[in-house]
Amino acid sequence: MTENREQDLLENVPDGLFIGGTWRAAEDGATLEVRDPSTGEVLRTIASATPGDAQAAMDATADAFPAWAATPARERGELLRRAFDLLQERAEEFALLMTLEMGKPLKEARGEVTYGGEFLRWFSEEAVRVQGRYGATPEGSGRMIVSQHPVGPCYLITPWNFPLAMATRKIAPALAAGCTVVIKPPQLTPLTTLYFVQLLEEAGLPAGVVNVVTSRSSRAVSEPILADRRLRKLSFTGSTEVGQSLLAQAAPGVLRTSMELGGNAPFVVFEDADLDQAVQGALAAKFRNIGQACTAANRFLVHRSLADEFARRVTEEVAGFGVGRGTEDGVTIGPLIDEDAVEKARTLVSDAVERGANVTTGGSRIDRPGTFFEATVLTDVREGSALLREEIFGPVLAIVPFDTEDEAVRLANDTEYGLVSYVFTKDLARGQRMIERLETGMMGLNVGVVSNAAAPFGGWKMSGLGREGGAEGIHEYLQSKYTLTPNPF
C-alpha cells in the first residue's frame, strides 16, 4: 500500500518544463534522473532544459510582466491565499514528496509544509500593504510623492535542502510585489517545485507569471537568463562560492540581488544557562534536516564548567536517534543528500580526531544502501580543525569549551560567515550584550530554531545580502520612485 501511494504521487508530478503556462519537454528531449537518497533508486525522470529553453522562459516572464504588474494587489494576494489553502489540503502529499526526494524524516517534512505555506499566507497579506508617501518639501517649494513599483522579471535559484520552503519564500514575495519569475529548482530535489507550480496553476496563475526550468547544468540555463537585459532581479540560496560567481554575472546588468549564502553558526552555552533547555535547543539547532541547513549550529561553544555535562546529555540523546528512510516510524536521521555529503562529513570528523577531538558517539558512514552517516558528537575540538571553519552540512555536533564571555565572543565571531547564532543564558544583560556583539544577521536567544515567515531571514559578512520574509521580504522585489510636483498653493 505504501509503495503504491508513493508511486501514485510520483506519477502526478509533472515531468516537463513550465514555460509560458505550458508543460513541455526540453527542446532537445534531454532528461535528468531524480534519485531517492535512502536507496539510490530513481524516483522520476524529468526534462533537462537547454539554453534555448532558458531563453524561452525568460521571454515568457518578460512578456507576462506588464499585465501582472498592473494586476490589482488584492488579486495577486488572493491567488497566493488560494495557493495556501490548496497546500493545506495536500499537506501530506507534499510532505511525502519531500521525504522521497530529499530524505528528511516525514515529521520534519510536515513541518516544512507548515513553514513553507506561511510564506504564501504572509505575502498574500503583504501584497495589499505596499505603501508610498506624500509630503511637502522642507522649503515648501513643491510636493514629494514616493511610490513603490515591482522591480521587474526575476530569476530565482533555490537549494535542495528545503524544496518547498525555499520556493515559496522566493515566489510569494515576488508575485505579491507584482514581479514575474523564472525559477530554477535544484537538480537533486526538483520534484517538489514542479508539484508546487502545478498547484499555483490550479490556483489561477496566469501564463508566464511563473516559469520553471530544471536542468543538469545550472550554468547552461543561468547564463542566458543573467545576460538578458530584461532581467532585473536575482535571488539565490546556496553556497557562498556559487553566490560570489552569480554576483559577478549579475554585475554587468546591475541586477538587484538577494543572496542567502553559507553559514557557520555558533551555539554558545554560558555557565548560567538552563542546561535542559540548552540541550534541547542544541538537538534542534544541529539535527533538524539531518544537519543539512544553513542555519544549523556548527560550533558548540560551551562554558568549561558545563562542557562535560552538556556533552554527556547530548551524547545520550544522540545515541538513541533512530536512523533510516524518512518514511519509517521513529526516524530522526535520514540519509544525507549524496555521496559527496557523506565524504565531507567523514573527512571533517577524521580531521578533528587527528587534531585531538574525542568521538563520544557516531563518527562513521553507515553500511547500508543509500547515503547515511551516523549522528556524531565530538568533544574537545581544537582550534584549527576544519569543521570549525567549514559549514558541516551533516549530523556532526562539535563541542569547544571556553572560559570567559570575551573568549566566547571571539570564538563565535572567528569566521567569515555571519548568518545566525544561538545563545543560552539566564542573564538578561548578557543576552542583550550578545545581540550587539555577535556578528550575525539573526540570533536565537534561548531557542534553537529561529526561522519564521514574519521575520527577516538573512546574514552578515559572507553569509549574504538582502532579507527574505517579514515586512522586509517584499521590499526586495520593489523599487522606489520619487516624483516632485509644484506647490499647489
Side-chain angles (χ1 to χ4, degrees):
M1 178 66 78
T2 299
E3 289 183 7
N4 289 340
R5 177 185 171 215
E6 293 177 7
Q7 193 58 42
D8 289 345
L9 173 59
L10 290 168
E11 289 177 357
N12 286 330
V13 176
D15 61 1
L17 313 175
F18 189 64
I19 299 175
T22 300
W23 294 98
R24 65 186 226 190
E27 63 177 0
D28 63 355
T31 60
L32 66 89
E33 293 179 337
V34 182
R35 295 182 178 272
D36 180 344
S38 70
T39 64
E41 296 176 358
V42 174
L43 292 171
R44 195 75 199 272
T45 300
I46 63 172
S48 178
T50 66
D53 292 318
Q55 190 61 62
M58 186 63 227
D59 291 343
T61 200
D63 290 346
F65 173 66
W68 183 247
T71 299
R74 178 67 71 191
E75 292 183 25
R76 299 196 301 262
E78 287 176 348
L79 182 143
L80 292 173
R81 180 63 198 216
R82 288 194 297 273
F84 169 81
D85 291 338
L86 287 172
L87 182 62
Q88 307 318 300
E89 294 173 10
R90 299 173 192 170
E92 280 299 301
E93 295 175 15
F94 276 90
L96 177 58
L97 186 57
M98 282 189 285
T99 292
L100 293 177
E101 67 172 342
M102 186 266 156
K104 69 183 69 188
L106 193 54
K107 180 180 178 180
E108 291 195 25
R110 291 180 180 123
E112 183 175 342
V113 174
T114 299
Y115 175 51
E118 282 304 307
F119 288 105
L120 300 172
R121 178 155 61 176
W122 175 263
F123 286 110
S124 74
E125 298 163 344
E126 289 295 286
V128 298
R129 297 195 177 106
V130 175
Q131 298 177 346
R133 58 189 173 92
Y134 171 87
T137 59
E139 69 282 356
S141 60
R143 297 296 180 266
M144 299 180 294
I145 302 170
V146 179
S147 52
Q148 299 295 325
H149 305 265
V151 70
C154 304
Y155 184 38
L156 315 178
I157 306 175
T158 56
W160 52 262
N161 54 340
F162 290 96
L164 178 66
M166 298 302 96
T168 59
R169 196 163 81 181
K170 295 182 189 297
I171 290 174
L175 268 55
C179 297
T180 54
V181 308
V182 178
I183 184 168
K184 193 200 77 62
Q187 178 180 346
L188 293 170
T189 61
L191 302 182
T192 301
T193 301
L194 295 172
Y195 203 42
F196 173 64
V197 171
Q198 185 181 64
L199 181 149
L200 284 177
E201 188 181 18
E202 186 176 334
L205 181 75
V209 172
V210 176
N211 304 275
V212 186
V213 288
T214 51
S215 180
R216 290 176 298 189
S217 172
S218 294
R219 181 177 295 275
V221 297
S222 294
E223 284 184 348
I225 294 173
L226 292 171
D228 195 305
R229 286 297 184 261
R230 296 171 296 177
L231 186 71
R232 298 311 317 141
K233 163 82 179 182
L234 166 65
S235 178
F236 168 75
T237 298
S239 72
T240 295
E241 182 179 61
V242 174
Q244 289 171 316
S245 174
L246 289 169
L247 283 169
Q249 294 175 66
V254 194
L255 299 181
R256 286 279 294 276
T257 58
S258 297
M259 294 278 151
E260 197 270 280
L261 307 178
N264 188 6
F267 187 104
V268 186
V269 182
F270 285 102
E271 67 273 20
D272 62 342
D274 180 322
L275 197 52
D276 290 335
Q277 189 180 54
V279 167
Q280 292 308 308
L283 299 176
K286 175 73 264 183
F287 296 104
R288 173 174 172 252
N289 217 48
I290 324 166
Q292 298 174 120
C294 56
T295 54
N298 221 47
R299 299 164 295 142
F300 288 77
L301 312 177
V302 184
H303 192 272
R304 198 173 301 276
S305 65
L306 295 180
D308 289 345
E309 181 62 12
F310 178 84
R312 185 190 67 78
R313 294 195 192 187
V314 166
T315 298
E316 185 176 295
E317 294 275 358
V318 172
F321 283 170
V323 177
R325 193 171 191 252
T327 54
E328 299 169 3
D329 292 337
V331 168
T332 301
I333 301 297
L336 296 184
I337 191 63
D338 59 15
E339 290 291 344
D340 288 345
V342 172
E343 179 59 21
K344 182 178 182 180
R346 188 199 65 77
T347 300
L348 291 175
V349 170
S350 296
D351 173 75
V353 170
E354 288 173 5
R355 294 173 184 270
N358 299 309
V359 178
T360 62
T361 188
S364 302
R365 179 179 186 141
I366 300 174
D367 184 16
R368 58 176 291 171
T371 46
F372 290 86
F373 193 87
E374 292 177 316
T376 301
V377 178
L378 301 173
T379 61
D380 296 319
V381 178
R382 311 298 171 85
E383 288 192 60
S385 297
L387 57 68
L388 298 182
R389 300 190 308 271
E390 300 181 23
E391 190 172 26
I392 298 171
F393 242 64
V396 179
L397 189 156
I399 299 173
V400 179
F402 71 86
D403 293 300
T404 68
E405 181 177 312
D406 286 344
E407 182 186 7
V409 170
R410 178 185 66 79
L411 291 171
N413 289 338
D414 185 23
T415 174
E416 63 186 357
Y417 299 104
L419 184 60
V420 63
S421 54
Y422 304 91
V423 173
F424 282 75
T425 178
K426 293 177 184 176
D427 186 331
L428 175 61
R430 173 179 274 155
Q432 291 175 307
R433 290 195 297 274
M434 293 303 102
I435 292 172
E436 300 197 21
R437 297 185 73 186
L438 296 186
E439 299 169 351
T440 58
M442 301 177 287
M443 191 175 104
L445 184 55
N446 294 319
V447 297
V449 177
V450 300
S451 299
N452 191 288
F457 188 105
W460 291 5
K461 302 192 289 188
M462 299 290 277
S463 286
L465 304 166
R467 293 296 183 269
E468 295 185 307
E472 294 82 355
I474 197 168
H475 290 285
E476 297 285 334
Y477 296 88
L478 295 168
Q479 54 191 347
S480 299
K481 177 181 286 187
Y482 150 63
T483 303
L484 179 65
T485 64
N487 189 329
F489 295 99

